[in-house]
Structures are given as structure tokens and as C-alpha cells.
Amino acid sequence: MVRPEEAGPRSPLLPEVPRELSRRRLSLRTIVLFFGPGAIIASLTVGSGETVLASRLGAVFGYAILWLVVVGAVTKAAIIYASNRYIVLTGEHPMSGLARAIPGPRGWFPALIGALAVLSFPFVASALATGIGSYLNIVFGGPAVAWGLVLLVLAAALAWFGWYALLERAQVAIVSIKVALVVVAVFAAQPQWLDVIAGFVPQGFGYAPFVFTEYPEIANRSVWIEAVVFMGGLGGGMYDYIGYAGLMREKRWGALGLPGRDRAVAQPLALTDTPEERVRVRGWSRAPLGDVVLSFAAMALTAVAFVITGTEILGAAHNVPSGQNVLTYQGDVLGVIHPVFRYFYVVAIIMVFFGTMYAIWEVYSRTAYESLSAVSARVRNAGIGTTRTVVYAYVLLGGTALILTGADLVSLITPANIVGGTVACGIYGLGLLVLERRVFPAALRTRPAARVLVAVSSVVLLGSGLVALLQYVGVLR
């Protein structure tokens, strides 16, 4: 058993639980009240990732893919809840705990997870810049590569100097309006609701007939890779989630509200199995639960809306988001409401993608810092500042190199979503099960059903990701 730190003759108790979290059931009001870091992670994908990948899958697969939205959202939410619950109850980032809890050379496990996440950074950044660069090339002219490079550097500069407050508020408003309009477009498209419902039943899926004749480059791509890239991008990946857990410190929930626990620490808070501790553990566990549930529910519902409109509008017109047109056709989705909304789409997609490009710098800096501080006391004691400088330089240089290859958004995002969005998530989830068992007394662990869900989710993500990865590198067909 891992021995947590001793703090005086008795282990400290968690802070008093707020009244809203003391109730046995989470109300919608409480969930909204404690909605925090999940909003940031949701903003990284809602309106940007779903605009491309969910619309694309709806166009090429139809409703048969809807059940994967549920699988992707539930599996990731289960793992991320376990991760965020750990830091809220112990004040220690899970990556630091995994450095001790997993057998073998100290730190190898978080180093592996961190490496898979960090390797994904330039691919995601370059994919976002390339996607919006291609769209600006179509709308305004000029080289797509040049647009992408300018936006990459501009987003980094805004993040570095903090010149984003006004743009951030505008982005939130525009994303909200855009998602609301897509939901309206779902009903305007008048889908066959029985077919939509049937899509949530697990089933096989394949490319629509027109894909083989009109989009041979997609038809030559493995159906499984196409699906896993979507599932890996749904709600983000480990390149986001490590930083997501670190963002919990900003809320000062649970142990994070104790002195010295609002920054990276080397040991977890010592929790003992007492009646009072059990009550506080249950209460504080509801804060990350509500945050995760609301953020992933929003992402899943948005993805479903884009799959439906992708099927009914883009698929029906044989317009698949791909290549240079990866963002072009989605304006037709809003156009079914009224032609004027096609012009709104131009503004919305630029703001949404650029806002996402801005947000990744801070999240990636935190992801890198939490990963490195888990295995290096020097990094942990130096704070996030030095790590942020290195991450900015790394993403700028790596992203620039990838943009200059001329690859499109889907090609660039594919390895990141497979490795960072599924494989790394599955490995991380399995590690969290070991960590919880090593650190928490039995009565303070998650319930057996929750542990089973995390285990199944981890195996599903790891297994599906490995198959897709082997197909991607040519080992499997």
C-alpha cells in the first residue's frame, strides 16, 4: 500500500462540503453552479471538432454511427471523472500518483502517458490552423498554407500576452448561437426520427454508395480508422485531459482548497476511513461529477445534432467535408433555416476555430507541466512558467513543419486522435484503477459499478485505438 504523507498526528479532513453538494442527488442547478473546467474542455471541441468529424461521419455513414457517440462520450466521461475525483479528494494530480503506484521503474507510466499526449500537440494545432486556413483560402483567396501559419502564430501571441478577453467572450456567444442554430436545423431538416432512434442501437456501418464513386480517397480509408478518429476526437484526448485535471486547482474544490494544495504536490492528502470523512468524500465527489456530466452531455448532444444534419443535408447532397472543403459545406446546415445564416456561418466558424487555437496553448502548457512534474521535482518546483515557454516553442515549430507539408485537417488530426484520443485514454484509465486501490481506503473508493465502468471503458478505448493504429501503420487491413 502506498503510504500518503502524514500531516501531524492525525490525517487532515477534507474541508466542509458546500450545502449544495451535501444533498444525496445532484440537481441541475447544482451541476450548473459547479460547472467549471469542463466548460473549457467543451469549448475546445463543441463547434469545432464536431463541425468537421461528426458532420463528416453523418455524411458518409448515416445514422448507423450514432451509437458510437454514446460509447465515446460514456467511456471518456467515466475515465475523466475518476481522474478529476482523485485530484479533488487528494490535492495531488493523478500523474504524480501514478509515478508511485504503478510497479516498475519510478515514473515510467506517467512518462508514457505524457509522451503520447505531448506528441499529439503539434498535430492538433496544425490541423486546426490548416482547416481554417483552407476555408479562408476559399472565402477570401490567398495561399491556404500562409493563412494557417499566420493564424498559428497569431493565436500563440494572443495566448502568450493575454490579449484575449474580448475575443473569448465573443467566442462563447457565437459558439452558443451556432450550436443552437444547428439544433434548430435538425428539426428543419425533418429527419426520420425512427431511423435516428435506430442509429443508437449498436450495429455495423459502412460507407454510403456515393462515397466509392465520388470520394475514392475516403473509400480507400479504413472504416474503422474513420470511426475511431471521430471517437478519439469526441470530447478531446489525453492532450487535453491531463491539463483538465490540473485546471481543477482553479476551483479549489475539496483538498485543493487546503493550504499548499492549490499547486503541484508530491504526495496525496492522507484520507482515513471515518464517518465524517466518508460524508465529505461523497459530497466533494459530486463537484467533478457534475462538471464532467454536463460537459460531456453537451458535447454528445452537439455531436448527435451534427451527425443528423450531416446525414440529412450534407450526405443527401453528396457533400462530404474533406480536403480543402473540410469546412465549406457545413454552411448549408444553417442555410436550411434561412439563407442569411450562411453568412453567419462564415463569422462563426472563423471565431470558433481561432478561439480553439487560442485555448490549446494554456491547456497544453498545463498538460506538459503536470506530466513532467510527476517525474521531476525540479520541474514541479520551478512552476509552470518555464514549461509554458518550451511548449509554445515546441508547438510553434512542430505545427509550422506539419502545416508546410500541405496535409489536410483530417490527415493531420488522425494520428493525434488515435494515439492521444483513444490509446492513451485507455492506458490512463487502467492506471487510475490501480492508483485508487493503492491510495484510498476501501470505503472511500468509487462504487464497484463505477470501477467496472472505468475498466470496461479503458479496455474499449485501448482496444479500438490499437486496432485503428495497426491499420493506420499498415500492419492490419
Side-chain angles (χ1 to χ4, degrees), residues 211-231:
V211 175
F212 295 94
T213 56
E214 299 179 36
Y215 296 90
E217 73 282 0
I218 297 178
N220 290 330
R221 180 177 162 101
S222 163
V223 168
W224 189 246
I225 289 178
E226 191 77 24
V228 170
V229 168
F230 163 71
M231 192 164 64

Side-chain angles (χ1 to χ4, degrees), residues 19-61:
R19 179 174 54 84
E20 294 85 356
L21 296 175
S22 299
R23 302 186 179 96
R24 294 188 62 180
R25 294 185 181 276
L26 272 176
S27 66
L28 180 59
R29 178 180 177 278
T30 301
I31 290 176
V32 172
L33 182 65
F34 285 85
F35 188 42
I40 298 175
I41 299 302
S43 72
L44 291 177
T45 57
V46 170
S48 57
E50 279 74 13
T51 300
V52 177
L53 299 177
S55 296
R56 177 181 167 105
L57 258 68
V60 300
F61 292 132

Side-chain angles (χ1 to χ4, degrees), residues 302-442:
T302 303
V304 168
F306 274 105
V307 169
I308 293 174
T309 54
T311 301
E312 292 293 335
I313 300 170
L314 304 187
H318 297 186
N319 289 332
V320 178
S322 61
Q324 293 294 104
N325 292 311
V326 75
L327 293 173
T328 305
Y329 301 129
Q330 288 88 328
D332 295 339
V333 171
L334 302 187
V336 302
I337 303 173
H338 192 281
V340 72
F341 287 116
R342 287 192 173 93
Y343 298 101
F344 171 79
Y345 173 80
V346 175
V347 177
I349 200 62
I350 293 173
M351 293 288 288
V352 167
F353 261 71
F354 188 75
T356 302
M357 288 174 61
Y358 165 83
I360 63 174
W361 300 94
E362 180 61 22
V363 173
Y364 288 179
S365 294
R366 288 178 178 267
T367 291
Y369 173 68
E370 300 293 355
S371 300
L372 292 170
S373 65
V375 296
S376 171
R378 181 178 178 182
V379 172
R380 182 169 60 251
N381 295 331
I384 195 173
T386 302
T387 303
R388 181 182 284 114
T389 302
V390 175
V391 168
Y392 273 62
Y394 164 64
V395 176
L396 273 173
L397 292 174
T400 297
L402 289 169
I403 291 171
L404 290 174
T405 65
D408 64 20
L409 183 153
V410 175
S411 298
L412 290 170
I413 204 69
T414 292
N417 282 7
I418 293 175
V419 175
T422 56
V423 174
C425 288
I427 297 173
Y428 185 63
L430 294 175
L432 289 173
L433 291 171
V434 176
L435 179 61
E436 184 185 55
R437 187 174 182 84
R438 298 289 295 275
V439 171
F440 289 113

Side-chain angles (χ1 to χ4, degrees), residues 441-465:
L444 303 185
R445 298 170 192 161
T446 52
R447 295 179 179 179
R451 294 198 295 272
V452 170
L453 179 58
V454 171
V456 172
S457 298
S458 301
V459 171
V460 168
L461 289 171
L462 178 58
S464 61

Side-chain angles (χ1 to χ4, degrees), residues 104-176:
R106 180 178 173 83
W108 75 270
F109 193 87
L112 171 63
I113 299 295
L116 295 177
V118 171
L119 285 172
S120 301
F121 291 174
F123 287 92
V124 178
S126 61
L128 291 168
T130 296
I132 196 61
S134 299
Y135 183 68
L136 291 176
N137 162 255
I138 293 172
V139 175
F140 300 112
V145 169
W147 278 115
L149 291 174
V150 168
L151 291 173
L152 182 70
V153 173
L154 182 59
L158 285 172
W160 182 264
F161 293 107
W163 300 333
Y164 188 68
L166 180 61
L167 183 60
E168 183 179 39
R169 287 192 290 270
Q171 183 205 8
V172 170
I174 288 175
V175 169
S176 301

